[in-house]
Amino acid sequence: MASNVLRGIAIMSALPILVHAQQSTPQITSEELKTHVRYLASDQLEGRGSGSAGNTAAAAYIIDRLREYGIRPAGDSGTYYQSFDFISKVKLGNHNTMTLEAPPSGGGKKKLQVDQDFRPFAFTSNTSVTGPLIFAGYGISAPDQNYDDYQGLDVNGKIVLVLQYSPDGTDPHGELNKFSSFRNKARTARDKGAAGLVMFTGPIDDPDDDLIPLAYDQAFASSGIPAVFIKRAAIAPLITSRGWALGALQDSLKARRKPIAIPMPEVRVDLTTDVVQVHATTANVLGYLPGTDPKVKDQVIVMGAHFDHLGWGGVGSGSLKPDTTAIHHGADDNASGTAGLLELAQAFGAEAQRLRRTFVFTFFSGEELGTLGSAYYVNHPSFPLSSTDVMVNMDMIGRLENKSLTVYGSGTSPSWGTLLAKEDKDSTFTLKLVPDGYGPSDHSQFYGKDIPVLFFFTGTHNDYHKPSDTWDRINYSGEEQVVRYVYSIVEDIDGAPERPGFTKVASSAPSGGGDRRSFRVTLGIIPDYAEGSEGMKIGGIRPGGPAEKAGLHAGDVIVNMGGKKIMNIYDYMGMLGELKPGDKVSVVVVREGKTMEFTAEMTKRN
Ligand SMILES: [Zn+2]
């Protein structure tokens, strides 16, 4: 509601923006870059969230420019659009019920109200369970840290009641808070045999006793058991009637770091959860220029940039100010790259007759949701990936400072090192070369298909993923230099008689996606976020890593690790959190319908 009110105001107050005040030129200019960025990052486009009207308006703007520049459509059935489906949010279904039934002396039967007394987690399993209640501290099992709320506890078939956070409180750097994510607690409860999970916040951590919002975390997976958040007010009497004041209970857990379990066999919980995933559609914008040299015209140079951003932000959006509902303008991320790609399309469009190879311009949507658009493209390419020579990505190229330009993927082809140095003729930049072809943007998807990549990036900053990433903070002349540099590199690749070779980079650098927490160990895989299968699909294997040595392949779906069921990426990340370098762990995967077991020796993560 609040966001709708805000939306109305923003639209009314948005000033009309003159898109084409002057005639545009084929040259790459800071003025034209600014014109594009100002429009794409304007209030009018509301942060270009995938599936939103602002995102559609951005796509329309890009297409208008591509037409002007003479770029041909390369999307679905002769259009520029390549549509794909994604899960935009989750909402409550009609069947969320929770009843607590105790003997008359213990409070009798209490029917709780969804959204008032309790709320399911977005990842809950949509089923019904009944069982006795048992309080199990913070619901953390971390024997390595000498802390185990489940020690000596039989929770089989029971509904486990746990506190949010950990004995370390809300401090995100607390040792035990590594184990305190909602997903992790649900996974632990399930692994211990619990039938369901109920979580609440202790008075020391949250005096307000608010329900947590229903926020989708961009993973398809459910926790395997029903899991809900409940208001302290609705559950506390059951604990206090047993002689525990909640604050004192938290203090004891913190001081002793020993489990305090309170079985309540006479309290029956009846729990049904129903969370519905809402699907939406968004589209990549694709255009191309055909090659003209008979020898290499079927070889493809892909240039890309994502044009989506975080919309109005909010919990689960990726915003670094998730408590504020405001337009996340995304000027640097990634109106800057989109503008750069438009300028490249215009420049190359003006000299189409001398392009030897086929040039493809890919404007991706869904990147902020986990590179969904580029994942869709590599599975439904407009031109064969086997003939795709290179993917050049631009994501956040608008904040050049001290000449510092980062180029990822510099090790993905033997040609790149020389080329990058040679085209930086006057040392315009201080180049920071990162050999790895994986990283937190769309080029990762192409590298995962064995295509050499180059990813240009001017670095992160304080406005990253915040509403303050606005058009007036862009260094346009710096961006012009970056885009001209990209232009000259692409020109060189096109001029070369041979296609660039491909190198798989041996790397232990942390992956940009998913493994965001501070694990001590790595398995050396790239998770595939776009898959909805049970288990966790491996999108890519890092050369020289434990997974490769163990014999795992890209495409394998991990279903069990260390004897624990892996239903999704969160189970997997939870497992990583429990392992030490040198641990040998069994990994069961499904490969082409067959179940196979491997042993991997975990290595230290750098
Ligand atoms: Zn971003």
Side-chain angles (χ1 to χ4, degrees), residues 306 308-310 318 333-334 367-368 395-396 440 464-465 469:
H306 77 88
D308 66 299
H309 193 55
L310 308 178
D333 184 11
N334 186 30
E367 191 273 346
E368 302 285 10
D395 189 356
M396 298 175 63
Y464 171 70
H465 278 205
D469 179 8

Side-chain angles (χ1 to χ4, degrees), residues 411-428:
T412 62
S413 171
S415 319
W416 289 172
T418 328
L419 178 58
L420 288 165
K422 179 185 141 213
E423 289 304 333
D424 185 24
K425 287 184 202 81
D426 313 314
S427 300
T428 310

